[in-house]
Amino acid sequence: MLHLLEGTLDMVQLHSSPEEAPFVVADLGCSCGCNTIYTTDVIIKHMRKRYEAMGYQPPEFSVFFSDLPSNDFNTLFQLLPPLPIADKGSMEDCIAASSNDSDGHRSYFAAGVPGTFYRRLFPARSVDVFHSAFSLHWLSQVPEIVTDNKSEAYNKGRVFIHGGNESTANAYKMQFQTDLAGFLRSRSLEMKRGGSMFLVCLGRTSVDPIDQGGVGLFFGSHFQEAWDDLVQEGLIEAERRDSFNIPVYAPSLQDFKEVVEGDGSFAINLQVVNGGSPLVVNRPDDAAEVGRALANNCRSVCGVLVEAHIGGQLSDELFARMERRATMHAKEMVENLQFFHIVASLYLA
C-alpha cells in the first residue's frame, strides 16, 4: 500500500521557507518493531524528494513515535539508526549529511510520545503528517455491557463478536465509532493546515457487524474452540472464558465513513483493500507449519491479553490446543483466511 501512502503525501502543503518550522511526522500506534522505522523512512524520503523537485531547501524533519505507555519504547529506540556526526558539528551539517540514503543514518530527529491516540497527544497545529497502521481496530476498551451477565449484549460463551448476537455486535460498533470520533477530533486540532493523515486498519466487506470476515475467522474459529477446550477439560470455569473478550472491531466502509462525516473536519478518500492472508508459511501444504503459524500469529497479537487473564501456564495450554485444531483444518485456513483493510487518506476540510 506504499503507493497509496505516497499519494497521500503528495497532497501535503510544502513550506517554502525551511526556517519556518520543522516538518513533523507522527506515527500513532508505532509498537516496537522495524515496520514503523521503515514507514517513517518512506515518508521522510518522499517528502525530501518533493521539496527538492520544487527547488526548495528541505526543512529539518522531526518524527514522533506514539503508543500506549506500556509499549516497549526502549527496544524501538535501540532499533533507530543514529544521526550522522558532521565534521563541523552543527545541526544543519548533521541533517545535510544524513541525506545520503546509503550511509545507514537517519535524516530526522526522533522522540517518543506515550499515551492513547483516542485523546490529544500534541500541541495545536503542530503536525504535518499523521500515519497509523493496524491500530485503529483496537478498541479503547471492551464495552461494559458485553461483560455484564444481566445485559442483552452479554457475550456468553464467546471471546469475540463474530457469529454472536446483534446486541453484542452493535455495542462493539458503538465503541469503535465513539473511539474513532475522539481520534478524529484530536487530530483535527493537532494537524497543521495543509497536512494529511494516512490510516490503515483491519476491516470487513459485510454490512453486518456480526460477520467480521477474516478477523472473525482468525479470532472466532480455532481460537474460540481452544477456549472451549479449556472449559470442557475443567482447566478454567465457563465464567472465566465468558469474561474475556478480544477488544477488536473490523469496521465496514460505512462504519468508518459515518464517523468522518459526523466529525466534519476532514475530506476523505476511503477504500477497502484485500490484504491477503496473515499466514506466512514456506510450505502451505504442510499442515503442521500452517497450524503453528496461525497459533503463533494469534499469540503475537493477543497473547499478552490472554496471559493477563488466565496466566502464562494456561495461556501455553490454550495456544497449544489452537495449534492442534488449526493443523487439523490447515487447508481450510490457507484457502479462506483473508484480511481486508480499510485505507483512509484524510485532509482538513
Side-chain angles (χ1 to χ4, degrees):
M1 290 181 285
L2 289 179
H3 67 288
L4 299 176
L5 169 60
E6 291 173 346
T8 302
L9 296 175
D10 286 339
M11 299 298 292
V12 177
Q13 180 179 328
L14 303 185
H15 311 311
S16 58
S17 174
E19 291 80 17
E20 288 182 4
F23 189 97
V24 178
V25 178
D27 189 14
L28 307 180
C30 62
S31 192
C32 57
C34 295
N35 285 342
T36 183
I37 298 172
Y38 176 78
T39 305
T40 295
D41 287 341
V42 170
I43 294 172
I44 300 300
K45 289 175 183 177
H46 189 84
M47 294 310 302
R48 181 180 290 277
K49 289 178 181 178
R50 281 196 62 205
Y51 273 101
E52 292 171 348
M54 292 293 292
Y56 296 157
Q57 173 68 31
E60 295 183 343
F61 290 92
S62 180
V63 177
F64 292 105
F65 297 95
S66 181
D67 212 316
L68 295 174
S70 57
N71 186 58
D72 189 354
F73 285 101
N74 286 334
T75 294
L76 174 61
F77 294 154
Q78 289 169 6
L79 292 173
L80 284 174
L83 278 171
I85 301 175
D87 292 337
K88 296 182 180 180
S90 71
M91 198 62 69
E92 291 79 5
D93 289 335
C94 285
I95 297 300
S98 66
S99 61
N100 182 354
D101 292 343
S102 62
D103 66 2
H105 293 89
R106 58 185 162 91
S107 56
Y108 55 88
F109 298 96
V113 180
T116 172
F117 53 41
Y118 293 126
R119 292 194 287 271
R120 287 285 301 275
L121 291 167
F122 304 98
R125 303 288 175 253
S126 63
V127 179
D128 292 278
V129 172
F130 283 105
H131 171 267
S132 182
F134 304 105
S135 297
L136 279 169
H137 48 260
W138 286 99
L139 304 178
S140 63
Q141 63 179 33
V142 174
E144 292 182 2
I145 59 174
V146 170
T147 57
D148 180 0
N149 59 15
K150 298 179 181 178
S151 167
E152 290 184 1
Y154 183 47
N155 201 24
K156 182 176 177 59
R158 298 181 181 275
V159 296
F160 191 51
I161 61 171
H162 184 73
N165 70 65
E166 183 178 353
S167 297
T168 307
N170 285 336
Y172 264 65
K173 175 182 175 180
M174 290 179 61
Q175 184 66 56
F176 169 80
Q177 293 190 317
T178 298
D179 289 343
L180 182 59
F183 177 93
L184 295 176
R185 186 164 53 250
S186 298
R187 304 296 85 77
S188 70
L189 298 173
E190 297 165 348
M191 185 186 292
K192 292 180 184 178
R193 295 293 177 186
S196 72
M197 181 158 54
F198 185 76
L199 308 176
V200 183
C201 71
L202 294 177
R204 69 179 197 275
T205 55
S206 170
V207 296
D208 185 356
I210 295 175
D211 179 5
Q212 288 282 292
V215 182
L217 185 60
F218 188 75
F219 287 124
S221 58
H222 306 309
F223 181 65
Q224 172 70 57
E225 292 164 355
W227 281 93
D228 296 340
D229 287 343
L230 294 186
V231 173
Q232 292 167 9
E233 294 170 28
L235 295 177
I236 63 173
E237 296 180 349
E239 291 77 11
R240 198 171 186 187
R241 174 201 56 198
D242 297 346
S243 61
F244 180 84
N245 290 273
I246 293 291
V248 167
Y249 180 79
S252 66
L253 277 179
Q254 187 61 30
D255 292 341
F256 209 102
K257 186 177 180 182
E258 286 174 1
V259 182
V260 176
E261 292 180 345
D263 175 83
S265 300
F266 295 94
I268 186 171
N269 181 12
L270 196 62
Q271 59 186 299
V272 175
V273 174
N274 187 341
S277 173
L279 295 177
V280 179
V281 292
N282 294 320
R283 300 180 301 278
D285 58 343
D286 185 335
E289 183 180 358
V290 172
R292 184 167 55 252
L294 182 66
N296 288 343
N297 197 321
C298 189
R299 189 164 198 166
S300 72
V301 172
C302 65
V304 172
L305 299 177
V306 174
E307 289 185 19
H309 193 73
I310 59 176
Q313 183 175 353
L314 284 174
S315 181
D316 290 341
E317 296 285 347
L318 183 138
F319 287 106
R321 284 158 177 75
M322 181 181 182
E323 179 177 339
R324 285 200 296 270
R325 286 184 170 276
T327 299
M328 294 168 57
H329 301 277
K331 183 179 179 180
E332 174 191 348
M333 298 307 295
V334 170
E335 293 177 350
N336 297 328
L337 184 56
Q338 298 284 321
F339 278 179
F340 286 89
H341 305 146
I342 300 288
V343 181
S345 300
L346 298 98
Y347 320 92
L348 285 176

